[in-house]
Each structure stands twice: as C-alpha cells, then as structure tokens.
C-alpha cells in the first residue's frame, strides 16, 4: 500500500473548506492508502495564539477528524509536536531552502503585499517545516486543497535537492487534489478562499457553527443577477461555489443538480443547499459531541504518536548520518 500523509493547522475553527478540500479526501483514502494524518500544531504558532485557544482548537480538530469518519484502526492520527523528528528535520530543510524560493510562496507574498506587520520568521520558513512533515514519512501522496499545492511542490524540490546533495534518502511526494472542491470560496466574496482567518463571519461556515446559522449563511450567500442556474465559475463564481458545496455534501454530480434546476430560481436552490448543510453539520456535530463524551482523544493521540515516531525516528537517524551530525557511522 502506498503511503499518504496530510495535516491541518489548528489555528482557528475548522471551515467547510477544510472539510471539502482536505478531510473528506482523507476519509475517502483511508481504505486505499497507508494514511498518516496529523495536527500541525507547530505550524499554528507561526501567528500569535494563546495556549488556551491552541489547546482547545487541537482537541476540536482531533474530535472532528474522528467525527468525520477517520478510523484510528486504519489511519495513524497524531500530534506533530509529539514527534520530535519534525522540528529536527524542519531545521535541516530550512538550511536546504533559499530565501528566494520562500519569498515566492504566495501565502507569505500575500501577507507582505497587504502590508501586514509583525510577520514572524516562522511564517516565512514554515514551508520548510511542512516539507519535513511530508518527507519524514516517505509519503508518496499528499492530499491538500489547491492553496497548499505550492508547498508540496517545494517539498518535492527539497527532496530532490537533498537526494542529489547527499544520496537517495527521500521519496519525492505528489500533491493530490479533488476534482470538485479544491478551493471553496467565501460566501460573501466568491473570489476569495473560505478561510479560518476570514474577518466576515457570514462568508465562512465553521464546522462547529449552529446548523441554523449555517443555513442562514447559505441563504444570504452572494450570487449574481444573471438568474440562470448553470456551472460557470468565471461569470457566476458565487453560484458555482454553492453548486460545488451541494455536490460534495450530497454526493450528486454538479451537472445533475444543474439539470434538476432548469428554469428554477436561486432561492429554491439555496433552500436545498441550506438544508444539505444543516443536515451535514447536525450529523457531524452529534458525532463530535459523542467523541468528546467518551474521552477517546488522548488514547488515539498516544497510540498515533508511538506509530508515527517509529517511522520518523528511523528517518531522522538516517538523515543525521548523511549530513554528518552522527559522528559514528
Ligand atoms: P490549513 O490548515 O490552512 O488547511 C488544511 C487543509 O484544508 C485545505 N483548505 C481548503 N480546501 C478547499 N477550500 C478551502 N477554502 C480550503 N481552506 C483550506 C488546505 O488546502 C489544506 O489541505 N500548511 C498546511 C498544514 C500542513 C500540511 C503539512 C499539509 C502542515 N504540514 C504536510 C499537508 C502536509 C496548512 O496550513 O493547511
């Protein structure tokens, strides 16, 4: 079985974008791959976050992984900071990266272009840590939303660079993206990504939103004045986004939804999508609450860290020998 790995940063409440672009893929792949899914808590401190909030986000994220259907019997679920090899290889990858290539990373570029102040050195170098996350496990595939593709490409370059400079050590990973839902957009500005850090709460559906509120957000989503139901992301980005959400959650092809709605209005379509989102969230949150009651999270993380460390420790020992940190061969 090929190995696959991915992670999510516990910086804020998880969105429907995270579910569609990432988590739903993980669930789908758990039967076909040897899957490693982690919580990227070391990435979460690249922007200031209170310890209390980070702790809560971390607990929510692991419970949401489980509630979404990730089965700890099939998937290794763990916390990044429990496996010390991530930080160790992260440093080596930082030293393998060039300033120029990190300056080209869009996330960093966007923040600097917006004139944001207080950008940490960690935010600048985090793609190096992300490369380490992937390369430590010899992951062949990395399921992500399109916004992370560039980072996986950096991991590929760093793997090749290391293999070339020392000798064959790392598998060169490939990003895997879903065909429908690589990027879910803000409900209020469908040219922008739906994001954990969005300032307008009406634009984002959080996985832990009250389902009634989520339904209202769908009903007030920005569309257009064309009044025709068709899938045209360029000219009708808001409608295309809603159709994508409905298609993924209701598991119905976009064309089938479009043909059911010929001659009908946006209001009717939004009503159906609102109901789909309502049902999806109600079901997910019931499972989430159940998992919290059973307190299984600690156990899952403990076992996950043990399994992940087994692989990661071996790999970092090999890397330490190759770079010359270990003085006995
Ligand atoms: P993060 O936490 O920002 O996002 C987690 C995953 O969700 C996807 N995603 C989306 N997909 C579709 N539409 C959206 N609106 C949307 N918003 C987010 C992201 O593409 C991602 O797949 N650096 C990573 C976490 C990470 C990681 C890794 C991922 C750290 N190490 C190693 C893979 C492998 C991040 O910040 O993702």
């Amino acid at each position: 079985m090929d190995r696959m790995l991915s992670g999510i940063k516990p910086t804020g409440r998880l969105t429907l974008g995270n579910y569609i672009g990432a988590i739903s893929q993980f669930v789908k792949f758990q039967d076909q791959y040897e899957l490693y899914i982690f919580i990227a808590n070391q990435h979460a401190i690249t922007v200031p976050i209170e310890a209390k909030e980070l702790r809560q986000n971390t607990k929510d994220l692991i419970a949401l992984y489980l509630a979404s259907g990730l089965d700890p019997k099939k998937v290794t679920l763990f916390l990044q900071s429990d496996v010390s090899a991530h930080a160790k290889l992260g440093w080596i990858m930082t030293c393998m990266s060039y300033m120029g290539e990190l300056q080209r990373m869009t996330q960093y570029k966007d923040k600097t272009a917006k004139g944001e102040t207080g950008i940490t050195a960690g935010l600048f170098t985090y793609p190096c840590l992300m490369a380490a996350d992937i390369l430590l496990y010899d992951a062949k595939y990395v399921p992500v939303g399109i916004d992370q593709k560039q980072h996986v490409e950096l991991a590929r370059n760093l793997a090749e660079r290391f293999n070339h400079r020392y000798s064959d050590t790392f598998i060169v990973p490939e990003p895997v993206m879903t065909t429908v839902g690589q990027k879910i957009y803000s409900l209020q500005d469908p040219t922008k990504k739906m994001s954990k850090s969005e300032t307008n709460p009406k634009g984002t559906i959080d996985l832990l939103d009250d389902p009634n509120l989520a339904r209202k957000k769908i009903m007030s989503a920005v569309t257009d004045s064309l009044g025709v139901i068709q899938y045209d992301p360029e000219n009708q980005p808001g409608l295309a986004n809603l159709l994508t959400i409905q298609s993924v959650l209701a598991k119905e092809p976009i064309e089938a939804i479009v043909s059911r709605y010929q001659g009908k209005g946006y209001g009717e379509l939004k009503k159906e999508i609102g109901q789909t989102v309502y049902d999806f969230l109600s079901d997910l949150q019931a499972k989430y609450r159940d998992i919290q009651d059973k307190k299984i999270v600690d156990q899952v993380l403990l076992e996950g860290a043990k399994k992940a460390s087994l692989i990661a420790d071996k790999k970092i020992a090999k890397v330490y020998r190759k770079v010359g940190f270990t003085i006995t061969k």
Side-chain angles (χ1 to χ4, degrees):
M1 240 190 216
D2 285 324
R3 196 172 287 161
M4 181 180 251
L5 170 136
S6 195
I8 296 183
K9 207 168 51 199
T11 36
R13 297 181 73 185
L14 246 61
T15 71
L16 196 57
N18 294 128
Y19 179 82
I20 292 178
I23 300 177
S24 68
Q25 288 209 79
F26 306 164
V27 175
K28 192 174 75 190
F29 288 135
Q30 65 183 339
D31 294 311
Q32 301 159 37
Y33 295 92
E34 185 191 342
L35 189 59
Y36 286 75
I37 298 293
F38 69 102
I39 296 179
N41 58 349
Q42 290 170 314
H43 290 263
I45 62 164
T46 54
V47 286
I49 183 166
E50 298 237 354
K52 192 172 159 216
E53 192 188 341
L54 180 54
R55 223 171 271 132
Q56 188 57 48
N57 290 346
T58 303
K59 286 184 193 160
D60 283 348
L61 178 48
I62 185 79
L64 282 168
Y65 275 158
L66 296 169
S68 302
L70 284 179
D71 177 354
K73 288 194 203 81
K74 297 179 188 162
V75 188
T76 305
L77 290 167
F78 66 101
L79 203 54
Q80 186 185 26
S81 62
D82 279 346
V83 183
S84 61
H86 287 253
K88 293 177 182 170
L89 187 61
W91 175 246
I92 296 169
M93 288 299 143
T94 306
C95 297
M96 300 282 302
S97 307
Y98 296 108
M99 296 289 287
E101 61 194 345
L102 297 181
Q103 273 156 353
R104 284 195 295 276
M105 296 289 125
T106 40
Q107 205 174 13
Y108 170 77
K109 260 191 359 203
D110 288 353
K111 289 215 183 216
T112 37
K114 274 194 232 149
E116 278 190 35
T117 52
I119 296 176
T120 65
L123 190 98
F124 181 63
T125 59
Y126 104 85
C128 310
L129 179 60
M130 176 158 165
D133 299 337
I134 300 166
L135 302 183
L136 264 181
Y137 296 87
D138 280 334
K140 192 164 176 197
Y141 300 111
V142 184
V144 282
I146 203 157
D147 62 319
Q148 293 297 326
K149 185 169 171 245
Q150 195 187 27
H151 296 147
V152 183
E153 275 156 8
L154 176 74
R156 289 175 64 82
N157 292 339
L158 290 174
E160 280 165 357
R161 194 171 300 159
F162 190 100
N163 289 347
H164 182 70
R165 194 173 293 176
Y166 296 99
S167 62
D168 246 7
T169 308
F170 296 121
I171 299 257
V172 180
E174 277 172 45
V176 175
M177 282 161 298
T178 100
T179 31
V180 182
Q182 304 178 350
K183 186 169 180 181
I184 298 298
Y185 295 88
S186 160
L187 299 175
Q188 289 300 311
D189 178 357
T191 60
K192 273 182 25 198
K193 185 182 82 161
M194 181 183 284
S195 146
K196 290 180 219 138
S197 55
E198 162 126 45
T199 41
N200 182 354
K202 282 173 83 181
T204 305
I205 291 183
D206 289 344
L207 295 179
L208 295 177
D209 264 350
D210 173 341
N212 270 313
L213 176 69
R215 190 205 308 262
K216 282 195 192 123
K217 289 182 185 178
I218 294 287
M219 292 310 292
S220 63
V222 167
T223 46
D224 55 75
S225 52
L226 287 174
V228 183
I229 294 184
Q230 58 194 357
Y231 182 72
D232 182 355
E234 206 165 302
N235 299 308
Q236 296 172 282
L239 182 63
N241 193 37
L242 290 174
L243 287 167
T244 304
I245 293 172
Q246 172 70 9
S247 169
V248 175
L249 297 186
K251 299 188 173 68
E252 183 181 3
I254 289 181
E255 312 80 70
I257 306 167
V258 167
S259 81
R260 276 200 292 117
Y261 274 91
Q262 280 323 289
K264 294 182 183 162
Y266 293 170
E268 216 171 320
L269 175 67
K270 280 180 169 179
K271 236 181 173 166
E272 181 179 345
I273 303 177
Q275 186 62 38
T276 302
V277 170
Y278 178 95
D279 292 341
F280 166 71
L281 291 183
S282 305
D283 179 55
L284 182 74
Q285 291 171 14
K287 290 181 182 144
Y288 161 86
R289 282 190 293 270
D290 195 37
I291 285 156
Q292 291 209 317
D293 284 349
K294 288 191 188 132
K295 298 193 171 59
I296 60 170
V297 166
D298 288 353
Q299 191 54 31
V300 167
L301 290 181
L302 193 72
E303 276 169 24
K306 268 195 221 154
K307 274 172 75 184
S309 296
L310 226 56
I311 295 176
D313 289 350
K314 226 172 168 179
K315 195 66 165 186
I316 194 71
K318 190 172 184 184
V319 171
Y320 270 27
R321 281 197 298 276
K322 296 215 176 186
V323 299
F325 286 172
T326 314
I327 55 170
T328 45
K329 274 209 162 185

